[in-house]
Each structure stands twice: as C-alpha cells, then as structure tokens.
Amino acid sequence: MASIYDIAKMAGVSVATVSRVINGEKYVAPETREKVQKILRETGFIPNANAKSLTKKKTNTMAVVVPDLTNPFFTEIIRGIEQQAAQRKMAVIIANTDEDLEHERLAIRSLMGRRVDALILASAARAGKEIRSSLRDDIPLVLLDRKPNGLEADLVRSDDRGGAEILVDYLFALGHRRIGFISGKAGISTAKNRLEGYVAALRGHGLEPEQELMAPGDFQRTGGREGILKLLALAQPPTAVIAANNIEAIGALEALREKKLDVPGDLSLVCFDDLELASQVYPFLTVAAQPVKTMGAVAAQLALERLAGQSSQRREVVMRMTLLERRSCRRV
Amino acid sequence: MASIYDIAKMAGVSVATVSRVINGEKYVAPETREKVQKILRETGFIPNANAKSLTKKKTNTMAVVVPDLTNPFFTEIIRGIEQQAAQRKMAVIIANTDEDLEHERLAIRSLMGRRVDALILASAARAGKEIRSSLRDDIPLVLLDRKPNGLEADLVRSDDRGGAEILVDYLFALGHRRIGFISGKAGISTAKNRLEGYVAALRGHGLEPEQELMAPGDFQRTGGREGILKLLALAQPPTAVIAANNIEAIGALEALREKKLDVPGDLSLVCFDDLELASQVYPFLTVAAQPVKTMGAVAAQLALERLAGQSSQRREVVMRMTLLERRSCRRV
DNA sequence: TTGTAGGCGTTATCAT
DNA sequence: ATGATAACGCCTACAA
C-alpha cells in the first residue's frame, strides 16, 4: 500500500528522485541514492507495476494461452517460451482454457485488459471470428499449433500432414491395411490437417479411405475412449489405429484395457505428440513427435521480433515431425 | 489505446456514464446505455484493468507459483485452483520457477508488483527469509505442498510422514529388509518429512536406518538418476527403493533401463505422487498418491476466505496419502 | 440520470 | 542533481 510518495517523504526527497533510484537512472547523487535505497530496502517496497504500465504503455509481459495444461506437449512448449522471455527480461503469464471456447474468451479478455505486450495462442476456436472480438489487434499475436479459420497472424505449427504420412507409412510397412483414425477436435486446423494427411497417405498406398474407419474425437480422453470403441464395434474393425493426439491415445488405451484387449497384441496403436514423462517410465507408445521446446522458443521469438517492430508480413514456420518407434505396434 | 474518454466523446456522454455502462451499474437511462454499448461493441473496447486496479485497489487475480510445471502433480493442483477461482470470477495467473530460487524471487516480485490479490505458493525455498523480501505481507499467502522454514502462513500439504510409512510398510510386507531412499531437494519440508517418515517407519519394523541407504536428491530427474546409481553401487545394494517424488522415480527408471536392470525383477521401486497420464498408459509404478485436485481447491478456498476477511489464525490442512499398488514391486 | 473533478501510483517534461 | 506537475486510464464522491 505504500507508494513512492511515502518513500519520498521518508527519505526527504521528491517522488521523481525515488523513481530515478528505483529505475537505476543516472543523475542522482550517490548519497541521495544511498539514502533512498536504504529506505527502499527497509520498507521492502515493491513498486506498483500496474501504475507503471499506465505511463509506460507496456507491461513487459507476454501471455501464453493453451487449451490443456496437463498435456506435456503444451507444458514443454511453455518452457521453451519462458526461456526466450527470460533472456529479454520479460515475464510470462500462462492461462489454461481446458479446450473450452468460453474459457478462452474470458482468458484472452482478461489478458488484453491487463495489456500484455504479446500473446501466444493455441486456440480452442475453430474460426477467428469466434474470438476476434476478445482480441486487440494492436499487439503481436502468434498462433501456436492451431490456426483458427480466417485469423491472420504469425503461426508456428508442425507439418501435420507429413506426420500423418509418417504414421500411415509405418503401419502400412508393418502390413496393416485397415487403419483406423480417431480424429481431433472438429474444426481445429491441426485435427483437419492430420486427418487429411491420413486420407492422402492411404490413397498414396492405393488404399481407399473408408468413412467408418474415421471416428470423431476431441483431443481429450473421452474422445479417445469413444473413438476406439466405435472402431472396435465395426463389422470389420481396424488392425491399427492412429489417434490424433497423445491424450486421445491414452483414452483409447484405457478403454482397451477395460475390454481386456492388448496393445499391440490385439491392436496396434500410434498417435501424434509424445508423452515426455510417460515415455521415460515405459517407452511404449509409437508416436509422431514434434520438436516442442523449439516450437515454444520460435513462437516467443516471433512475438518479440514483432514487438521490436521488425518484420512486417505474416510468417508461418512449420516444423517436421519425427517417428519415435516403440512397442505399440506389431506386424500383421 | 482507446480509453473511456474516447468512447465518451463518440457517444456524446461523460466518462462516468461510460464507466457505469461498462460495469453494468444502475442509474443510467436505457437509451443512453444502448448508445454507449453500441459504440463499445463497434470499437471492441477493452478497458484497461491496470488502471482500474489502481483505483479499486484490487485485481481480482490470484497467483499460483509452482516449481515444476511439467510435473502433473502441480498441473492437477492448478486445475483444482482454477475451478474454485472461476466460481468467484477470479483470474488465475500461473508462474513456473523450475525449482530455482532466483526464478522464484523474480516471479514473486513480478506478481507482487502486479498486485495480485492472493498468492498460492509451492516454494523452492528452504527458509522463509530466502524469499520474504520478495513477499508482501498484506495479501493472503497460502503455502502449498511445502513449508519454507520460518514462513508463517496457511498451509495445504499431505501427510508426508504417513505416506512414507505406507510405502515402507508395503515393501516390508513384501519381504524387503534393505530399503533405499532417494531423498527430495535438501532443506525442503516435504523432502524432510518424507525422509523422517521413512526412518521412523524402518524403526517401527525393528530395522536400523543406514546412512548409505539414503541418497540425496533434488525432486528432479537428475537426482533420481544419480540417487539410484549411488544405491546400486553399494557393496550391499537395496532390494527396494523409495523415490521422494514421481519425477525422481522417472530419472531412476531411466538409469535402470540404461543399466539393463529390470523393475521389479532386479529391484522394486516406489515413489510419492502419482503420474496421472503415465499411469493410464501403463499402470506400472506403485505410488503414495495425494488428492491433488482437492489440494488445489482447498488452497484456493483458504486464499479466498482470507481475502474475504474471514478467518484469523493460521490454518494447516493435511491430506492423507493413498497407496496405489501397481507392478513395480515384487516379493522377496 | 448525468457530469465534474480529484485521486490511484507511476513516469516524464520542464524548470530550477 | 532535484523537484513540481501534468499525464496515463479508470473509478467515485459530489454536484447538478
């Protein structure tokens, strides 16, 4: 509750001087500086950053909004962002939306109200218009992993189609011909691209994609569970399944275990995105992994560059996926 | 960059009226309200929350500081906090310190500067004095999981000694008599309590605790790796090992795998804290788990109650741990 | 019902 | 080198 006025009074100087001392500016006599710093220390004074941002018109803060904070894919990305930000002495503030559009709107509004300097967003929205009114267009926006339709901004993502191909190719090579796909959240770019990649890859191998082999999903556990059950219920179920992300794969595994079905014994299973910790405990799930930490770092850099006023046009950086072969598939 | 002044001008009213409309106050004529709201919508105006906090002297924000955002233990806790906060329309802002004291100081300072209304802290500090100067003592502080020495504040933690007993009892019942322990970060209360519980439990079974069976750790992967190696190098290595948290257990598993040692074949391994996702992929590690989501919710409630001015004295809520028996141990 | 003006805690511009 | 003082964007008496 103390302000620099209180400090000024105690030190017998003006607020301007206190401000100068706090910000380490020159043009303040050594003795004065000493005197003020002493009081600053004694009182444990912490300047009000909100007031400061009012006059400075910047907050030295960069915000990250992710749809699922329990997904290691996103937490690793965040670490990449934090490292970059720390180098520029910027604070990072993180918000979680639980893959819920309304949550996301609230979070973004809140952050915009706080006047963060930049926003890195992995959106739960399908279209830009769903969130545009919550956004301010005068600060750098970097889209992460997903591109809502019609929202033009810098974008850092992975080559989802390529990743799908990698997975299909792998399964095909193992002899699988009926390959199921549990899709991601409907309307999300990442989900669409992965599905398209899957379809294209099948065709590339002379296989005709079948509608019944593509189950809907939501990038969450429930989707994985329901998806796998749907596929299993088919008259002619697949011998291998691709889940559109790691969390869905976990949901699928749960359901399979409940049905006493073995992976890869009864069914081969792969997915997009690695599970950092889990794969250390038990290197089991074969996945198409993205360079997560790097993605975060790149996203942060794009944001910072725009902040610095460099760069003009929209940029899109696409990362390559890598197949991490483990033990969740078998040859048929 | 627009302010309520701009809106006021466009609407042909005063700033006071605009403010009233924005905050949904009564005493503004329906037509005026309409008129202003129209402009608000058209311009996509988002009020500056920092300016607002200046006069309101509150930010409707609650901060959470955790040492490891990649640890599901903390992310689950965060979800518990978020749910409570959302109910009271409070925003949650999350900061990660990577178990580093200096990071933590910076994070806390930054949050205090932002004048968050309350702070929930899982600290990397051993003693309160290491961070006290970064703290403001006029806002509610709730300690989570760990209690820095000499820092008096509300506390939500688990019964670490009890948890250690559960694990030792379990291993003892399986016939283990040489039980190793990889400790947590030195000086952290949680680490101390778990170690003490281990020692006490051993004694309870008539076993004399041996110094060489207790390896130092850091709650991180490295600690787990080095700890397990140290224990394995003993003239008479343990037949079972307890890791002070989940992440250390993962580090230990990595090292074991590199040495081609099998769990539980060559060694039994258990730890504190569950690995939510991993345990779904492969229910392998036997653990003493805490009711994470609840812990978060309780922490948030304590903070909110204090904010509401209720409650006076310091409170400490201790949660019970539960043994989740899986397949990482064998009978000897 | 609406408007005016002062204050919230900083920084920045001028003086001195 | 230091100090007054006017912003910054909002809220809140108080007046009208």
Side-chain angles (χ1 to χ4, degrees):
Chain A
M1 287 322 217
S3 78
I4 57 174
Y5 273 89
D6 304 307
I7 306 293
K9 200 163 298 170
M10 298 174 72
V13 299
S14 76
V15 289
T17 302
V18 176
S19 177
R20 291 187 187 105
V21 172
I22 289 177
N23 297 297
E25 284 171 37
K26 47 203 300 192
Y27 296 128
V28 27
E31 322 97 61
T32 331
R33 168 158 288 149
E34 272 310 320
K35 188 171 50 176
V36 175
Q37 272 174 336
K38 179 151 175 285
I39 304 208
L40 251 18
R41 253 180 283 118
E42 288 173 359
T43 57
F45 179 73
I46 299 180
N48 185 326
N50 302 317
K52 174 168 183 170
S53 78
L54 256 195
T55 68
K56 297 288 263 188
K57 289 175 173 304
K58 64 173 180 175
T59 51
N60 278 314
T61 304
M62 148 164 189
V64 189
V65 174
V66 298
D68 184 359
L69 202 52
T70 63
N71 187 339
F73 171 69
F74 290 112
T75 52
E76 275 303 326
I77 286 187
I78 290 175
R79 293 192 65 201
I81 295 175
E82 282 175 335
Q83 289 183 6
Q84 289 300 311
Q87 287 181 26
R88 326 290 176 97
K89 308 254 183 210
M90 289 203 67
V92 174
I93 117 174
I94 304 156
N96 180 32
T97 65
D98 265 336
E99 202 73 85
D100 178 76
L101 191 54
E102 196 48 31
H103 272 201
E104 179 168 317
R105 287 206 194 91
L106 287 172
I108 295 180
R109 273 227 162 69
S110 168
L111 294 166
M112 294 318 217
R114 287 185 156 71
R115 297 296 189 263
V116 296
D117 296 329
L119 174 62
I120 297 180
L121 170 65
S123 179
R126 294 155 167 81
K129 65 178 173 211
E130 293 176 308
I131 52 170
R132 171 141 325 109
S133 67
S134 306
L135 251 14
R136 289 179 59 111
D137 51 6
D138 53 356
I139 69 163
L141 169 64
V142 177
L143 265 16
L144 189 65
D145 181 56
R146 305 155 167 214
K147 182 183 179 325
N149 232 309
L151 190 56
E152 298 305 316
D154 286 342
L155 172 62
V156 179
R157 65 175 182 95
S158 281
D159 177 12
D160 295 301
R161 298 181 58 108
E165 258 176 58
I166 289 177
L167 293 174
V168 170
D169 288 357
Y170 175 70
L171 293 171
F172 188 88
L174 285 179
H176 293 277
R177 293 302 176 264
R178 275 189 80 71
I179 301 174
F181 192 92
I182 304 175
S183 200
K185 191 171 161 192
I188 301 292
S189 63
T190 309
K192 277 189 295 197
N193 293 336
R194 289 175 185 179
L195 181 57
E196 286 174 15
Y198 155 82
V199 168
L202 286 185
R203 292 225 168 91
H205 287 291
L207 297 176
E208 190 50 33
E210 297 177 37
Q211 203 55 50
E212 63 171 21
L213 283 178
M214 309 175 206
D218 56 3
F219 280 144
Q220 300 187 285
R221 244 139 90 173
T222 332
R225 300 182 65 97
E226 292 169 2
I228 201 77
L229 293 177
K230 202 157 199 167
L231 293 176
L232 288 174
L234 254 32
Q236 206 183 337
T239 60
V241 169
I242 301 175
N245 83 342
N246 49 4
I247 308 290
E248 280 186 355
I250 286 172
L253 278 170
E254 285 176 335
L256 287 169
R257 190 149 359 97
E258 283 164 19
K259 293 197 99 112
K260 310 267 186 227
L261 288 175
D262 180 59
V263 174
D266 299 309
L267 183 75
S268 291
L269 179 68
V270 300
C271 69
F272 289 81
D273 305 343
D274 199 8
L275 283 159
E276 331 282 329
L277 290 187
S279 66
Q280 304 299 339
V281 183
Y282 184 57
F284 168 69
L285 210 50
T286 294
V287 304
Q290 315 182 40
V292 272
K293 201 94 166 276
T294 309
M295 290 177 72
V298 169
Q301 275 171 355
L302 289 185
L304 289 166
E305 282 174 21
R306 268 208 194 282
L307 253 185
Q310 304 163 25
S311 81
S312 45
Q313 60 192 11
R314 208 173 74 77
R315 284 162 308 170
E316 175 164 347
V317 5
V318 181
M319 320 291 282
R320 256 242 304 280
M321 294 217 190
T322 312
L323 184 76
L324 301 183
E325 185 174 354
R326 301 207 269 243
R327 329 184 204 149
S328 62
C329 300
R330 65 162 190 156
R331 182 171 296 282
V332 293
Chain B
M1 286 324 210
S3 79
I4 56 174
Y5 275 89
D6 304 309
I7 306 292
K9 200 163 298 171
M10 298 174 74
V13 299
S14 76
V15 290
T17 302
V18 176
S19 175
R20 291 188 188 105
V21 172
I22 289 176
N23 297 298
E25 282 171 38
K26 48 204 302 192
Y27 295 129
V28 27
E31 321 99 60
T32 328
R33 168 158 288 149
E34 272 310 320
K35 188 170 51 177
V36 174
Q37 273 173 335
K38 180 149 174 284
I39 304 210
L40 251 20
R41 254 180 283 117
E42 287 171 0
T43 57
F45 178 72
I46 299 180
N48 185 325
N50 302 316
K52 175 168 182 171
S53 79
L54 219 43
T55 67
K56 297 288 263 187
K57 288 175 173 307
K58 63 173 182 174
T59 51
N60 277 315
T61 304
M62 152 162 178
V64 189
V65 174
V66 297
D68 184 0
L69 202 52
T70 63
N71 187 338
F73 171 69
F74 290 112
T75 52
E76 275 303 326
I77 286 187
I78 290 174
R79 292 192 66 202
I81 295 175
E82 283 175 334
Q83 289 182 5
Q84 289 301 310
Q87 288 180 24
R88 325 290 174 97
K89 308 257 183 207
M90 288 203 69
V92 174
I93 116 174
I94 305 156
N96 180 32
T97 65
D98 266 335
E99 202 72 85
D100 178 76
L101 191 54
E102 195 49 31
H103 272 200
E104 179 168 316
R105 287 205 195 91
L106 286 172
I108 294 180
R109 273 226 164 68
S110 168
L111 294 167
M112 292 318 215
R114 288 185 153 71
R115 297 296 189 264
V116 296
D117 296 330
L119 174 61
I120 297 180
L121 170 65
S123 179
R126 294 155 169 80
K129 65 177 174 213
E130 293 176 307
I131 51 169
R132 171 142 324 110
S133 68
S134 306
L135 251 14
R136 289 178 58 111
D137 52 6
D138 54 356
I139 69 163
L141 169 64
V142 177
L143 266 15
L144 189 64
D145 180 56
R146 305 154 168 213
K147 180 181 181 326
N149 232 309
L151 190 56
E152 298 305 318
D154 287 341
L155 172 63
V156 179
R157 65 176 183 93
S158 280
D159 177 12
D160 295 301
R161 298 182 57 110
E165 258 175 60
I166 289 177
L167 292 174
V168 170
D169 288 358
Y170 175 68
L171 293 172
F172 187 89
L174 286 179
H176 294 277
R177 293 302 176 266
R178 275 188 81 70
I179 301 175
F181 191 91
I182 304 175
S183 200
K185 190 171 162 192
I188 300 293
S189 64
T190 309
K192 276 188 296 196
N193 293 336
R194 289 175 185 179
L195 181 58
E196 286 175 14
Y198 155 81
V199 169
L202 286 184
R203 292 225 168 92
H205 287 291
L207 298 175
E208 191 50 32
E210 296 177 39
Q211 203 56 50
E212 64 170 21
L213 283 178
M214 309 175 207
D218 56 2
F219 280 145
Q220 300 188 284
R221 245 139 88 174
T222 333
R225 300 181 67 94
E226 293 169 2
I228 201 78
L229 293 178
K230 200 156 201 168
L231 293 175
L232 288 174
L234 255 32
Q236 205 183 337
T239 60
V241 169
I242 300 175
N245 83 340
N246 49 5
I247 308 290
E248 279 186 355
I250 285 171
L253 278 170
E254 285 175 335
L256 288 168
R257 190 151 357 99
E258 284 163 18
K259 295 199 95 116
K260 310 268 186 225
L261 288 175
D262 180 59
V263 174
D266 300 307
L267 184 75
S268 292
L269 180 69
V270 300
C271 69
F272 289 82
D273 305 343
D274 199 10
L275 283 159
E276 330 284 328
L277 290 187
S279 67
Q280 303 300 338
V281 183
Y282 185 57
F284 167 68
L285 211 50
T286 294
V287 304
Q290 314 182 41
V292 273
K293 201 93 166 278
T294 309
M295 290 176 72
V298 170
Q301 276 172 356
L302 289 185
L304 289 166
E305 282 174 21
R306 267 208 196 283
L307 253 185
Q310 304 162 26
S311 81
S312 45
Q313 60 192 12
R314 209 173 74 76
R315 283 162 309 171
E316 175 165 346
V317 5
V318 181
M319 320 290 284
R320 255 243 304 281
M321 295 218 191
T322 313
L323 183 77
L324 301 183
E325 185 175 354
R326 301 207 269 242
R327 329 184 205 148
S328 62
C329 300
R330 65 162 190 156
R331 182 172 296 282
V332 293

